[in-house]
Amino acid sequence: MSKILELREKRAKAWEAAKAFLDSRRGADGLLSAEDVAAYEKMEADVVNLGKEIDRLERQQALDAELSKPVNDPIKDKPAASAGEEKTGRASAEYKRSFWNVMRSKMPGHEVLNALQVGTDSEGGYLVPDEFEHTLVEALEEQNLFRTLAHVIQTSSGDRKIPVVASKGTASWVDEEGAIPESDDSIGQVSIGAYKLGTMIKISEELLGDSVFDLESYISREFARRIGNKEEEAFFTGDGKGKPLGILAKTGGAEVGVTAAGAAAFTADELFDLFYSLKAPYRKSAVFLMNDTSVKALRKLKDSNGQYLWQPSLTAATPDTLMGRPVYTSSFMPAMEAGAKSVLFGDLSYYWVADRQGRSFRRLGELYAPTGQVGFLATQRVDGKLVLPEAVKVLQQKSGSAA
């Protein structure tokens, strides 16, 4: 039995035990004693921790499988290619080798400059070799939940214009020989541009000179963590000013499907109302999104038949479910508080993420020379926007203080 399947079964048993404990210890008023609350929360924490370990192992398994694949078919017929030069994707092995030599070296030589004609950066930096950019994108997907659910496109220059049907025409009953009324579709347009996101890492010269240090792996992981977190925050809550317009934006974001009766809680009935506030065609591919605190509250809710709404997954690489739809968590979803949009339900493929082609990566050799450090700068240009607001609904907490 695989480790992942073993942990999933262990988590399912722990959840069944937690539910049984919760049901057996509720008093006549439906409440738990302080001791029982502490015991239940410990059992629930075990379920959460097992889920996090399963997620880590599945990401590791997926990354191992992806990195074991060849990057691309060899390019054999390029004119003027050096005899015997190994090809890995679009960039030559010489280019990749020269790129990382530049990153470590203070003074790039003629060999490096000649090799770097494979890719150029008009602003003075070096474009990331294809192999390294692929690693960075994979790490971004691991760090950034939103990218795995949204629709990601590539743009080269200028704004991307997306035509959207704002309203549809309808048919009408007409009398014999009567005139058929006109009813045209209304077509709108959504524009996606590119906002600049950047970060810098400083590394000591001694560390760079250590041949044991895995520079590529360290930089890709650290850039992925920083850029991934900042991207995901904007995709959720961005205001569109110098950054993407988030899916929770008041204008241009998801529509409010349900307003909860409480400022710091929601009920099973309100989740059902949220589910059915979304049109049926969107529900087929919809997912739930909330933060860990909201999931914790969700685990205690039952339907009218006494069945718990939240169901843990027993199958590898599949998320937990609520009403048959996947449940995902993100720390960037708001907590349950007055006026907050604490639960999201919808088809996130209608949120478009636009990557401007070519991530830039440069070495700052002299800026931090007095302190014996070298800076590494990474930038990318990205935008995001919900192109069809009716495809995503949110549950909003009641405004004002909790009752």
mmCIF file of all heavy atoms in Angstrom, residues 44-54 56:
data_model
loop_
_atom_site.group_PDB
_atom_site.id
_atom_site.type_symbol
_atom_site.label_atom_id
_atom_site.label_comp_id
_atom_site.label_asym_id
_atom_site.label_seq_id
_atom_site.Cartn_x
_atom_site.Cartn_y
_atom_site.Cartn_z
ATOM 1 N N GLU A 44 -9.460 16.973 15.746
ATOM 2 C CA GLU A 44 -9.603 17.655 14.461
ATOM 3 C C GLU A 44 -8.253 18.125 13.945
ATOM 4 O O GLU A 44 -7.983 18.072 12.732
ATOM 5 C CB GLU A 44 -10.547 18.846 14.599
ATOM 6 C CG GLU A 44 -10.900 19.485 13.267
ATOM 7 C CD GLU A 44 -11.841 20.658 13.410
ATOM 8 O OE1 GLU A 44 -11.591 21.512 14.287
ATOM 9 O OE2 GLU A 44 -12.813 20.729 12.663
ATOM 10 N N ALA A 45 -7.371 18.567 14.855
ATOM 11 C CA ALA A 45 -6.037 18.999 14.443
ATOM 12 C C ALA A 45 -5.259 17.846 13.823
ATOM 13 O O ALA A 45 -4.495 18.042 12.867
ATOM 14 C CB ALA A 45 -5.274 19.568 15.643
ATOM 15 N N ASP A 46 -5.454 16.643 14.347
ATOM 16 C CA ASP A 46 -4.799 15.467 13.752
ATOM 17 C C ASP A 46 -5.287 15.245 12.324
ATOM 18 O O ASP A 46 -4.499 14.909 11.432
ATOM 19 C CB ASP A 46 -5.081 14.220 14.600
ATOM 20 C CG ASP A 46 -4.384 14.267 15.956
ATOM 21 O OD1 ASP A 46 -3.411 15.022 16.082
ATOM 22 O OD2 ASP A 46 -4.833 13.553 16.873
ATOM 23 N N VAL A 47 -6.588 15.424 12.090
ATOM 24 C CA VAL A 47 -7.142 15.274 10.743
ATOM 25 C C VAL A 47 -6.531 16.313 9.802
ATOM 26 O O VAL A 47 -6.138 16.005 8.665
ATOM 27 C CB VAL A 47 -8.679 15.427 10.766
ATOM 28 C CG1 VAL A 47 -9.245 15.418 9.354
ATOM 29 C CG2 VAL A 47 -9.315 14.316 11.591
ATOM 30 N N VAL A 48 -6.425 17.561 10.260
ATOM 31 C CA VAL A 48 -5.858 18.644 9.451
ATOM 32 C C VAL A 48 -4.399 18.363 9.115
ATOM 33 O O VAL A 48 -3.953 18.510 7.971
ATOM 34 C CB VAL A 48 -5.986 19.995 10.184
ATOM 35 C CG1 VAL A 48 -5.226 21.085 9.433
ATOM 36 C CG2 VAL A 48 -7.445 20.386 10.322
ATOM 37 N N ASN A 49 -3.621 17.948 10.107
ATOM 38 C CA ASN A 49 -2.194 17.692 9.898
ATOM 39 C C ASN A 49 -1.970 16.531 8.937
ATOM 40 O O ASN A 49 -1.053 16.556 8.109
ATOM 41 C CB ASN A 49 -1.505 17.428 11.231
ATOM 42 C CG ASN A 49 -1.441 18.663 12.107
ATOM 43 O OD1 ASN A 49 -1.432 19.788 11.594
ATOM 44 N ND2 ASN A 49 -1.399 18.482 13.411
ATOM 45 N N LEU A 50 -2.806 15.504 9.036
ATOM 46 C CA LEU A 50 -2.696 14.388 8.094
ATOM 47 C C LEU A 50 -2.995 14.862 6.669
ATOM 48 O O LEU A 50 -2.340 14.446 5.709
ATOM 49 C CB LEU A 50 -3.659 13.268 8.492
ATOM 50 C CG LEU A 50 -3.240 12.414 9.698
ATOM 51 C CD1 LEU A 50 -4.400 11.542 10.153
ATOM 52 C CD2 LEU A 50 -2.038 11.540 9.344
ATOM 53 N N GLY A 51 -3.988 15.750 6.524
ATOM 54 C CA GLY A 51 -4.314 16.293 5.214
ATOM 55 C C GLY A 51 -3.169 17.090 4.618
ATOM 56 O O GLY A 51 -2.878 16.992 3.422
ATOM 57 N N LYS A 52 -2.481 17.874 5.452
ATOM 58 C CA LYS A 52 -1.347 18.667 4.970
ATOM 59 C C LYS A 52 -0.194 17.768 4.534
ATOM 60 O O LYS A 52 0.476 18.037 3.534
ATOM 61 C CB LYS A 52 -0.896 19.643 6.053
ATOM 62 C CG LYS A 52 -1.886 20.767 6.319
ATOM 63 C CD LYS A 52 -1.390 21.698 7.402
ATOM 64 C CE LYS A 52 -2.394 22.850 7.635
ATOM 65 N NZ LYS A 52 -1.946 23.749 8.717
ATOM 66 N N GLU A 53 0.042 16.687 5.281
ATOM 67 C CA GLU A 53 1.110 15.764 4.906
ATOM 68 C C GLU A 53 0.783 15.058 3.587
ATOM 69 O O GLU A 53 1.654 14.852 2.739
ATOM 70 C CB GLU A 53 1.318 14.736 6.020
ATOM 71 C CG GLU A 53 2.416 13.712 5.734
ATOM 72 C CD GLU A 53 3.782 14.353 5.556
ATOM 73 O OE1 GLU A 53 3.994 15.489 6.034
ATOM 74 O OE2 GLU A 53 4.648 13.720 4.930
ATOM 75 N N ILE A 54 -0.486 14.711 3.389
ATOM 76 C CA ILE A 54 -0.910 14.094 2.123
ATOM 77 C C ILE A 54 -0.680 15.062 0.964
ATOM 78 O O ILE A 54 -0.168 14.675 -0.097
ATOM 79 C CB ILE A 54 -2.400 13.690 2.191
ATOM 80 C CG1 ILE A 54 -2.582 12.510 3.164
ATOM 81 C CG2 ILE A 54 -2.933 13.315 0.816
ATOM 82 C CD1 ILE A 54 -4.025 12.228 3.511
ATOM 83 N N ARG A 56 1.519 17.476 0.779
ATOM 84 C CA ARG A 56 2.961 17.593 0.528
ATOM 85 C C ARG A 56 3.476 16.407 -0.282
ATOM 86 O O ARG A 56 4.246 16.565 -1.229
ATOM 87 C CB ARG A 56 3.720 17.709 1.849
ATOM 88 C CG ARG A 56 3.689 19.092 2.474
ATOM 89 C CD ARG A 56 4.669 19.200 3.609
ATOM 90 N NE ARG A 56 4.259 18.399 4.754
ATOM 91 C CZ ARG A 56 3.538 18.870 5.761
ATOM 92 N NH1 ARG A 56 3.127 20.127 5.754
ATOM 93 N NH2 ARG A 56 3.204 18.084 6.775
#
